[in-house]
Amino acid sequence: MISLERVYDVLEIFIIFPLVLLCQFILQKLLDLLYPSRDRNLHQSDQAICYDVVYDFKKLLHFARPNGTQFFLLKYREMRKISHVINDDDVTLYYVTPQEFQFVRVKPGVDLKNIIQHPFTCMAAHNYGVEIITMSREQGYKYLAGRVELNQSGSNIVLLHNTGRCGSTLVANMVHRTGQFHVISEPYSLTNLVITLSKQTEQTPLDSEQNLELLRATLLFLCKDPDKKYLIKVCGVFTGSLPHIAHKTLPGIREIFLHRSFLATASSWHKILGPLRFSGLAGHAKYILPLKYRRIWEKVKPQGSYQGFLFILLSQLHPFFIECENGRKMRAFSYESLQKNQEEFCKNLLCELGLGSEYVPLALSALEVDSQENSPLKKYNMDKNRRINIPSQALDWIVKVGLEEFGIEIRKEDVFVNNMPNS
């Protein structure tokens, strides 16, 4: 029997979502006519455009999909000096386009730094956004060049790469509770940028000068206080290319990788996405993945959603293998090692971050609550024992493809990576 939730998923994807975007487009055009902003060509180099958020159309949608300013209805308000707006504590970089940087200001009382209250920065920034602030890329580059006090090496930044649904929110919460890092959880500006750059590799090399400059600006805008240490938890899907280029733009940046059994990871993704979205994501991966992995996809031809999604996980993990083979010292941690020995896991994690064992009790306190308690994803975490039944044929296939195409050894019984480097 088809559930009502499944029916609604179909209606939202094929009817409600397109209608929402169409309504937003039409109403935005009308507002632009009524409240026209100044021509960007006439901008002074230190002026940003400020818009009021009139309405958020994402409220009409059920699923916590990736955010974007296309869901906002915006009304032009004024132009203000860049330095007078983007350094405020309630302002964060939200979105990056080929033309401009877009920042969002959240309503009073919302602390984006508190990931206990707001586990996902991208969701909180969108759900509580009251103002959008934009500047051209050239303006952004010029502004950053004038901020000589910024940490130009990125030595105050740690990137937490992961496969998603692997305990990364819990680990970010552990680090947050030490009070020594400002944790930014899945900033959409970085997620969207990495996906965009990865898809463009047919025309532009991933590590081209223009790509590195844009990534550098994105990271510096996110980590805008040079006196603070930052941990950025990267979104765990379609961002695998980031380890290839982050250190090239900020040579002092540190990176770690968190992973989990592919079986448990895929099951958890299936639980939060639902069968329809899970299948859709797996089926369209070949259009989103970097060129190298699209070519492997065409060669091995995944059959069905399970093989397709397991392939996504391999492509998320593989760049870490390549970077380690090239001599980079990036540490890997597994969720299973956390389950086996919580205190030892915390000691090793904090040591990698330059923190002593005195912070272990604070980090371990994160285990006392659900790290996604205040997230829309909480309801999907209630059934802890729910697992999808991946066909044996799909498991045999991913073990074979992992070894032959990626050099990754996978145990069939739990689909766990055996040869994870620096683990």
Side-chain angles (χ1 to χ4, degrees), residues 47 74 111 240 252 267 327 333-334:
Q47 298 290 304
L74 303 174
D111 183 5
S267 296
F333 296 87
S334 72

Side-chain angles (χ1 to χ4, degrees), residues 112-174:
L112 293 176
K113 300 186 293 295
N114 185 352
I115 70 162
I116 298 174
Q117 189 65 36
H118 308 293
F120 298 97
T121 305
C122 57
M123 293 184 184
H126 186 99
N127 294 340
Y128 299 105
V130 294
E131 180 183 357
I132 295 294
I133 303 156
T134 70
M135 70 183 76
S136 69
R137 279 171 58 170
E138 292 72 21
Q139 288 176 295
Y141 293 157
K142 184 174 181 179
Y143 170 78
L144 290 174
R147 288 199 62 191
V148 295
E149 75 279 10
L150 286 175
N151 189 328
Q152 302 293 338
S153 72
S155 60
N156 63 330
I157 302 173
V158 178
L159 296 180
L160 173 58
H161 303 287
N162 60 92
T163 56
R165 310 306 299 168
C166 60
S168 57
T169 305
L170 172 59
V171 169
N173 202 303
M174 288 177 168

Side-chain angles (χ1 to χ4, degrees), residues 314-326:
L314 274 177
S315 65
Q316 182 76 7
L317 195 63
H318 188 237
F320 174 79
F321 272 73
I322 295 175
E323 291 302 311
C324 290
E325 289 173 359
N326 291 337

Side-chain angles (χ1 to χ4, degrees), residues 31-313:
L31 272 181
D32 290 343
L33 290 174
L34 292 172
Y35 303 93
S37 60
R38 192 178 303 179
D39 190 325
R40 185 170 293 283
N41 293 328
L42 300 178
H43 282 187
Q44 299 178 26
S45 61
D46 63 348
Q47 298 290 304
I49 302 181
C50 302
Y51 300 88
D52 288 324
V53 174
V54 177
Y55 188 72
D56 175 15
F57 280 92
K58 185 169 167 285
K59 294 176 181 178
L60 302 177
L61 300 172
H62 167 254
F63 186 69
R65 64 180 68 254
N67 303 312
T69 53
Q70 73 268 25
F71 289 111
F72 286 138
L73 192 60
L74 303 174
K75 182 181 76 171
Y76 170 71
R77 187 174 71 197
E78 62 182 349
M79 295 182 64
R80 295 181 62 191
K81 194 171 182 178
I82 292 173
S83 59
H84 289 175
V85 287
I86 67 169
N87 289 325
D88 295 343
D89 287 341
D90 58 354
V91 172
T92 188
L93 180 65
Y94 181 62
Y95 199 63
V96 178
T97 76
Q99 293 78 33
E100 62 184 15
F101 296 102
Q102 300 175 351
F103 298 78
V104 63
R105 184 189 301 278
V106 294
K107 68 181 183 180
V110 175
D111 183 5
L112 293 176
K113 300 186 293 295
N114 185 352
I115 70 162
I116 298 174
Q117 189 65 36
H118 308 293
F120 298 97
T121 305
C122 57
M123 293 184 184
H126 186 99
N127 294 340
Y128 299 105
V130 294
E131 180 183 357
I132 295 294
I133 303 156
T134 70
M135 70 183 76
S136 69
R137 279 171 58 170
E138 292 72 21
Q139 288 176 295
Y141 293 157
K142 184 174 181 179
Y143 170 78
L144 290 174
R147 288 199 62 191
V148 295
E149 75 279 10
L150 286 175
N151 189 328
Q152 302 293 338
S153 72
S155 60
N156 63 330
I157 302 173
V158 178
L159 296 180
L160 173 58
H161 303 287
N162 60 92
T163 56
R165 310 306 299 168
C166 60
S168 57
T169 305
L170 172 59
V171 169
N173 202 303
M174 288 177 168
V175 176
H176 169 75
R177 286 173 182 267
T178 68
Q180 300 304 299
F181 281 81
H182 176 174
V183 177
I184 305 174
S185 179
E186 301 188 14
Y188 188 60
S189 51
L190 183 61
T191 303
N192 184 69
L193 176 62
V194 175
I195 293 174
T196 300
L197 298 184
S198 298
K199 289 195 298 183
Q200 292 176 344
T201 50
E202 294 177 69
Q203 296 81 26
T204 307
L206 183 64
D207 61 352
S208 68
E209 183 177 346
Q210 66 188 54
N211 285 353
L212 294 182
E213 186 177 27
L214 185 55
L215 176 59
R216 176 183 176 276
T218 299
L219 290 170
L220 290 178
F221 273 132
L222 284 170
C223 307
K224 55 190 178 181
D225 188 338
D227 297 323
K228 290 181 180 178
K229 291 187 291 187
Y230 292 84
L231 183 136
I232 299 178
K233 189 193 85 168
V234 182
C235 179
V237 65
F238 300 128
T239 55
S241 296
L242 187 55
H244 288 321
I245 54 176
H247 66 290
K248 293 182 179 180
T249 186
L250 293 173
I253 203 167
R254 289 174 292 164
E255 301 172 77
I256 56 179
F257 200 103
L258 182 67
H259 67 108
R260 185 185 184 188
S261 154
F262 278 13
L263 181 60
T265 303
S267 296
S268 189
W269 273 110
H270 189 276
K271 186 161 54 175
I272 66 163
L273 292 174
L276 187 62
R277 292 186 179 87
F278 183 87
S279 298
L281 186 62
H284 287 82
K286 62 182 178 181
Y287 306 110
I288 305 173
L289 290 169
L291 178 62
K292 173 172 63 177
Y293 299 114
R294 278 180 269 158
R295 287 173 173 167
I296 298 176
W297 178 290
E298 291 300 328
K299 177 182 176 181
V300 301
K301 301 185 185 308
Q303 301 296 315
S305 60
Y306 299 124
Q307 290 186 12
F309 202 88
L310 291 170
F311 186 94
I312 293 174
L313 297 180

